[in-house]
Amino acid sequence: MTAIKSGSNLERVLTAGHFAFTGECGPPKGANADHLREKFKYLKGNVDCVNMTDNQTAVVRMSSLAGCALMKAEGLEPNFQMVCRDRNRLAMMSDILGAYALGVRNMLCLSGDHQSFGNHPEAKNVHDIDSMQLIALVKKMRDEEKFLNGEEIDVAPKMFIGAACNPFADPFEFRVHRLATKIEAGADFIQTQCIFNMDKFRDFMKQVVDKGLHERCYILAGVTPMKNAGMANFMSKYVPGMDISESLIKRLKGVDKRDQAEEGIKIALEQIEAFKEMQGVAGVHLMAIEWEHKVPEIAERAGVLPRP
Amino acid sequence: MIVADRKSLEEILGMVADREKLLILGCKGCVTVCNVGGLKEAEVLASTLRIAQKKEGRPVEVSHRVLERQCDNEYVAGLADDVGNYDAVVSMACGVGPQFLSEMYPDQVFFPAVNTTFFGGAVQHGVWEERCAGCGACAIHLFGGLCPIARCAKSLLHGPCGGSANGICEVNKETACIWDAIVKKKMETGRLEDLVAVKPFKDWRTARDGGPRRSIREELVKGTL
Ligand code: SF4
Ligand code: SF4
């Protein structure tokens, strides 16, 4: 995993052997660029790169590509998320080229939540290719410098290729195999789904390490600090693929309402400490959903500052 | 077979609001098998329309009959003597029927009484499920005989996605995750390695994406068979 593929900051941090710390940022439900710039302030200098979500949970927002461009302009490194739900292979390839031309060097390839979760459930979905093939497509464009049809690309996009992994979806025994296929397809790094069930994640990582997958790909563990017990409840009920234990909800409920946010941060910090020690984990992906202003504090208390 | 659902009475009434003499035309093909548009259902719809319009104070004359198949010109031609006797014809066949009818009888109006939904079959009495999306390049043998194109909400060739939970699809609690079934079948048969390689990108030209499709059987066209 040593030859430099994209020259992104995230790649530099990971190949140097540092414990990576990445962040996330959702574009606004509108063209409010100032709103985004406000969020960037909290992330700048505190994380190695920032995921720009792509119509997350199938709710229409400013395009992830535009969000990435705005982020670049503010001096942060974006991780361009792309879902297979909204684009066919033509739109994907042209957006990958556009992103690279704008200075984007990381991508995260996703299937995308089904549109029935979002605010336009009447929409037609695309799914021309799936996330596995999107990984392979970005790799082909980078390594072979060719479009899917084999035509040469004039200045190929050299992306550091990311993929998602949800160790908590079913069937559990198959998850490690699916991860292996993503690595086979070309994933350089993985950002996992938010982890709330540490035992199950440990189980999963053991399988990953046994198969030697952590040596072929950097695995960043997903962390989401809970703002309160209500958020934990909501996520466990309505967000697909979440495994939120009763004990976590109980722990949050166990403290006074005013102190639940602090308790949520404490849980996240304990997780980060555990990940630092866990074999095969190369970093943490912090998804502080609509809580970007807490990132500086979390990064500070997690002891991951200054960033390399 | 092709599966369909009856449109609501309100919608059908809306279509035929200004017509006084109607023919409800069933089909003995798929829609008879899925109990939506055969002779029996045509009869029921005809009498329902009669009663509903009578209630509104504008009685209509509604007849009904059934064709062997509305997707076959040989049988559609059988309507020639009768088709001109009505203000409109309500077809209870799948979407193919009223089109064949319209093409043969351009002077008549044909309304669809059913919503054609999918290619599938009955899994229990009264319940039909989708099985095929007519992609034009069948590859179910690669997936343990189960079709992810039609049966996965995201048509994934490498599933299950992160939303699969306890064998249920993220889309809703009533839908099975077909990828869960595919994986389990491969595990049971010790063929998990079939799912590990990245599959070739699907060529959608054989599906609807390539434009309207045609099947030509040369030997039949030439009459050598
Ligand atoms: S692979 Fe294509 S043809 Fe075969 S069952 Fe699925 S949709 Fe139908
Ligand atoms: S849950 Fe299963 S069937 Fe539903 S979209 Fe995901 S992989 Fe497809």
Side-chain angles (χ1 to χ4, degrees):
Chain A
M1 293 200 284
T2 41
I4 290 295
K5 294 167 173 168
S6 70
S8 80
N9 182 53
L10 179 63
E11 181 178 12
R12 182 187 60 78
V13 168
L14 285 166
T15 48
H18 299 294
F19 190 76
F21 195 64
T22 59
E24 185 154 311
C25 185
K29 280 172 95 171
N32 192 343
D34 289 336
H35 175 84
L36 259 184
R37 291 191 193 102
E38 197 55 38
K39 289 183 175 182
F40 294 158
K41 281 189 198 148
Y42 303 113
L43 294 157
K44 195 171 180 178
N46 296 318
V47 291
D48 303 320
C49 77
V50 180
N51 288 35
M52 187 56 73
T53 57
D54 183 15
N55 290 336
Q56 196 169 20
T57 61
V59 170
V60 184
R61 292 173 178 275
M62 182 195 288
S63 80
S64 54
L65 180 51
C68 287
L70 289 167
M71 194 191 291
K72 275 298 290 180
E74 297 299 310
L76 287 87
E77 176 164 289
N79 181 11
F80 174 33
Q81 292 198 183
M82 183 181 274
V83 298
C84 299
R85 178 193 60 227
D86 305 336
R87 294 173 184 79
N88 67 7
R89 60 189 84 182
L90 277 79
M92 285 174 166
M93 286 187 279
S94 76
D95 277 355
I96 294 164
L97 294 177
Y100 189 74
L102 290 166
V104 176
R105 295 293 178 266
N106 307 299
M107 268 192 75
L108 190 75
C109 306
L110 305 163
S111 309
D113 293 321
H114 193 264
Q115 70 275 14
S116 57
F117 290 101
N119 60 356
H120 289 78
E122 315 83 355
K124 185 168 173 22
N125 60 21
V126 183
H127 298 297
D128 174 12
I129 67 176
D130 66 14
S131 59
M132 202 67 77
Q133 294 172 324
L134 176 55
I135 297 166
L137 170 62
V138 184
K139 182 177 162 73
K140 185 182 174 98
M141 292 173 83
R142 180 187 70 196
D143 296 350
E144 296 175 34
E145 309 200 341
K146 283 183 176 146
F147 290 102
L148 204 50
N149 65 355
E151 274 175 41
E152 300 281 337
I153 299 176
D154 174 19
V155 182
K158 304 281 181 184
M159 294 288 186
F160 196 46
I161 306 171
C165 165
N166 183 3
F168 310 105
D170 290 319
F172 178 64
E173 318 82 275
F174 186 63
R175 289 292 143 185
V176 73
H177 296 282
R178 191 158 188 260
L179 173 63
T181 310
K182 287 198 174 178
I183 297 169
E184 196 58 47
D188 300 307
F189 69 99
I190 297 290
Q191 290 172 322
T192 76
Q193 176 68 279
C194 321
I195 299 158
F196 297 108
N197 183 339
M198 291 296 275
D199 291 339
K200 198 161 186 184
F201 187 67
R202 265 193 205 92
D203 240 31
F204 175 74
M205 280 311 296
K206 194 180 166 311
Q207 298 171 32
V208 169
V209 171
D210 286 349
K211 278 177 107 60
L213 298 179
H214 64 303
E215 283 160 359
R216 296 169 55 206
C217 178
Y218 300 101
I219 295 168
L220 312 190
V223 172
T224 287
M226 291 289 189
K227 295 179 192 174
N228 49 50
M231 173 178 172
N233 240 332
F234 177 85
M235 285 179 78
S236 101
K237 282 209 185 94
Y238 299 110
V239 181
M242 288 286 161
D243 179 355
I244 300 177
S245 62
E246 270 304 310
S247 64
L248 181 114
I249 299 177
K250 238 186 173 162
R251 179 167 164 191
L252 287 166
K253 275 189 180 151
V255 301
D256 195 83
K257 252 214 159 87
R258 275 184 321 226
D259 302 326
Q260 287 183 356
E262 171 57 23
E263 195 64 21
I265 290 177
K266 269 194 199 142
I267 297 170
L269 292 170
E270 289 164 20
Q271 287 185 298
I272 296 171
E273 279 317 304
F275 294 138
K276 283 183 189 169
E277 303 301 323
M278 203 179 285
Q279 198 190 357
V281 175
V284 157
H285 176 53
L286 180 71
M287 292 164 271
I289 304 162
E290 293 306 316
W291 225 20
E292 288 83 359
H293 65 277
K294 288 282 183 191
V295 172
E297 180 194 329
I298 296 171
E300 180 65 47
R301 290 170 65 185
V304 297
L305 296 181
R307 295 310 307 151
Chain B
M1 70 170 154
I2 293 177
V3 179
D5 293 324
R6 234 288 304 280
K7 282 180 182 286
S8 71
L9 183 63
E10 293 72 53
E11 190 178 350
I12 298 171
L13 281 171
M15 287 173 179
V16 301
D18 53 350
R19 318 277 167 165
E20 280 166 6
K21 204 165 172 229
L22 294 171
L23 172 66
I24 310 299
L25 190 61
C27 174
K28 283 193 196 167
C30 304
V31 289
T32 293
V33 185
C34 68
N35 304 74
V36 71
L39 182 61
K40 207 170 72 202
E41 292 81 19
E43 188 179 352
V44 171
L45 179 60
S47 76
T48 314
L49 283 176
R50 241 177 265 123
I51 295 165
Q53 296 294 62
K54 201 170 169 191
K55 252 198 211 152
E56 291 294 306
R58 47 181 311 276
V60 287
E61 213 180 291
V62 191
S63 320
H64 72 275
R65 61 184 277 192
V66 68
L67 293 188
E68 201 59 35
R69 279 197 302 278
Q70 292 188 23
C71 59
D72 194 327
N73 279 329
E74 191 186 325
Y75 300 112
V76 173
L79 203 64
D81 293 343
D82 194 24
V83 70
N85 296 332
Y86 308 94
D87 293 339
V89 179
V90 176
S91 165
M92 300 197 76
C94 73
V96 179
Q99 295 189 57
F100 266 63
L101 290 161
S102 305
E103 284 161 34
M104 190 168 288
Y105 306 113
D107 296 333
Q108 183 54 284
V109 186
F110 298 91
F111 291 110
V114 306
N115 296 319
T116 307
T117 46
F118 52 78
F119 307 150
V123 289
Q124 68 180 75
H125 191 62
V127 180
W128 288 265
E129 273 183 6
E130 182 163 20
R131 287 293 180 269
C132 172
C135 78
C138 198
I140 52 169
H141 55 293
L142 303 177
F143 306 100
L146 304 165
C147 174
I149 305 292
R151 301 174 70 183
C152 164
K154 300 174 187 172
S155 296
L156 301 181
L157 294 182
H158 308 81
C161 76
S164 176
N166 296 319
I168 301 296
C169 172
E170 69 172 34
V171 172
N172 68 56
K173 285 196 215 56
E174 279 71 53
T175 306
C177 169
I178 196 62
W179 264 105
D180 188 85
I182 295 170
V183 167
K184 291 205 170 125
K185 188 151 181 196
K186 290 286 182 186
M187 279 176 169
E188 276 160 23
T189 51
R191 297 200 51 102
L192 207 54
E193 71 276 8
D194 291 356
L195 300 179
V196 179
V198 181
K199 303 231 156 34
F201 290 71
K202 195 161 171 71
D203 180 347
W204 292 106
R205 281 175 297 187
T206 56
R208 243 295 303 165
D209 308 84
R213 292 165 283 176
R214 260 185 132 182
S215 266
I216 302 171
R217 226 89 69 216
E218 289 293 350
E219 64 280 17
L220 293 176
V221 177
K222 289 194 196 119
T224 54
L225 198 81

